[in-house]
Amino acid sequence: MNLLQLRCFVAVADALHFGRAAQALDMLPASLGRHLRLLEEHLGTPLVARTTRNVGLTDAGAELVEEARDLLLRADRLELAFRERERVRAQARVLRVGAIDSVAAGLLPQLLPHFRQEHPGIRIELLEQKTIRLLPKLLSGRLDMAFVRPPEVRDRRIAFRMLFPETAVVALSEGHRLARRHSLRVEELAEEPLIVPDRRSRPHSHDLTMKLFLQSGLTARVAQIADEKQTIVNLVSTGIGIAIVPRWASRLAVAGVRFVPLRFAAEAPAYSLQLSAAWLRGVRDPTRDLLMAVLDRNLDSYAASA
């Protein structure tokens, strides 16, 4: 029995769904299932009752889960305490920040100049990646904080601070018949081929497009799957399709693309992309607190541009 096996078991107990539990741990469902089976074999009893429709805990699983949580909590506290001692010892004036692409294009060019003006002696190291890649780096200690989309299943070891939603806009090639419009309704996009991100790597952006069309009683006509926001906007410029993207994507330097706001009926929910700051729960970091203080003072102006 090891900590990874226990983490897999607790994640399944929390989510009662193998796919969501695997996503929370950033691993494949098959790998999670293998670790859980090894734990059950080691203990000599089933811990999870699996059917084709439901996942639940056996009596043995229900007895084990709270003790497993306590053991993992103590292990995490030991790890955090050691890292905190190392942080204090190093006295490093470096803040390692992760960011999703729209934040790197929109928020950070506003935030970092304000921060450097107030704290010129602190160096910021930036890493731009997707949420599913940034959160494990927080857990491993390779990042001090990250700007991410809050996941549906949240790891209890990570603290999430909700900031503001990013507005969705339509990216169209300059020659598109709708490109000169001041705003667009989703219904006007009914017959348009769509370029959408892969849901496995960008679930929030993918689901946003699908929800907007579903809300309007339409079927999204997906013409192309792409992974990176830069790639999506570049494909839009070729005219093979349109895309629904965060407004900050308009700051990407791609010629031949126009970004048109979406217009919603008064009674319709206006879907948006939530943005959060995240860090390891229980870890004190004065340098991170300084960055968050600058962010808080300017939050309204940053949100207005999102």
Side-chain angles (χ1 to χ4, degrees):
M1 182 171 67
N2 58 45
L3 292 179
L4 178 57
Q5 292 169 357
L6 289 176
R7 291 198 195 282
C8 291
F9 166 61
V10 170
V12 172
D14 287 339
L16 294 179
H17 188 283
F18 276 78
R20 289 195 290 270
Q23 183 179 7
L25 296 177
D26 194 36
M27 63 169 46
L28 295 173
S31 179
L32 180 142
R34 183 173 65 256
H35 287 297
L36 183 57
R37 286 193 299 273
L38 290 173
L39 178 61
E40 291 175 323
E41 291 171 6
H42 179 78
L43 296 177
T45 184
L47 301 174
V48 176
R50 310 163 177 84
T51 70
T52 56
R53 293 181 176 269
N54 297 300
V55 175
L57 296 181
T58 64
D59 290 343
E63 292 175 3
L64 176 63
V65 66
E66 292 307 321
E67 293 185 28
R69 289 191 208 281
D70 181 63
L71 180 59
L72 292 172
L73 179 61
R74 284 185 285 146
D76 291 339
R77 284 175 175 170
L78 176 62
E79 180 183 349
L80 292 176
F82 181 82
R83 288 180 179 165
E84 182 68 13
R85 287 197 299 270
E86 289 301 302
R87 185 189 300 277
V88 172
R89 187 179 300 128
Q91 292 292 309
R93 299 288 282 176
V94 175
L95 187 66
R96 299 165 300 171
V97 178
I100 58 175
D101 50 11
S102 62
V103 169
L107 175 61
L108 294 184
Q110 301 176 78
L111 172 60
L112 294 189
H114 292 154
F115 181 73
R116 286 169 179 156
Q117 183 176 9
E118 294 187 28
H119 306 286
I122 299 176
R123 181 164 57 90
I124 302 290
E125 292 183 357
L126 293 177
L127 176 66
E128 180 184 338
Q129 284 190 352
K130 308 176 188 69
T131 294
I132 62 171
R133 297 286 178 256
L134 293 174
L135 296 182
K137 289 180 170 58
L138 284 177
L139 294 172
S140 68
R142 285 178 284 174
L143 287 176
D144 300 307
M145 66 176 298
F147 294 100
V148 298
R149 307 278 182 221
E152 292 181 4
V153 180
R154 302 182 188 181
D155 193 307
R156 296 184 180 187
R157 294 169 290 172
I158 299 178
F160 291 91
R161 159 80 185 282
M162 300 298 292
L163 298 177
F164 48 78
E166 290 186 71
T167 304
V169 298
V170 185
L172 312 100
S173 65
E174 285 189 339
H176 194 281
R177 61 184 178 83
L178 300 174
R180 299 297 168 182
R181 298 283 295 277
H182 294 294
S183 64
L184 289 167
R185 291 180 295 108
V186 176
E187 291 81 0
E188 296 176 277
L189 310 177
E191 301 302 319
E192 298 296 328
L194 295 168
I195 305 169
V196 299
D198 189 331
R199 193 182 190 281
R200 292 171 297 181
S201 62
R202 295 183 183 272
H204 299 83
S205 297
H206 180 278
D207 289 353
L208 172 67
T209 299
M210 299 304 159
K211 286 177 181 178
L212 287 172
F213 277 76
L214 182 63
Q215 167 205 315
S216 300
L218 303 172
T219 300
R221 295 182 55 219
V222 177
Q224 179 67 51
I225 300 289
D227 199 19
E228 301 299 334
K229 195 73 83 290
Q230 184 82 38
T231 303
I232 290 173
V233 178
N234 273 309
L235 289 173
V236 167
S237 72
T238 69
I240 69 170
I242 69 171
I244 296 174
V245 298
R247 185 162 67 176
W248 275 337
S250 63
R251 294 176 177 242
L252 299 174
V254 178
V257 178
R258 290 182 61 85
F259 298 87
V260 180
L262 278 167
R263 184 173 74 256
F264 299 94
E267 69 278 6
Y271 292 107
S272 57
L273 292 164
Q274 290 294 328
L275 180 64
S276 291
W279 54 81
L280 277 180
R281 191 181 302 277
V283 174
R284 294 181 62 255
D285 189 334
T287 305
R288 180 194 70 215
D289 292 343
L290 291 174
L291 181 65
M292 289 303 298
V294 175
L295 176 61
D296 286 339
R297 285 195 296 274
N298 296 279
L299 193 61
D300 288 345
S301 64
Y302 299 155
S305 70

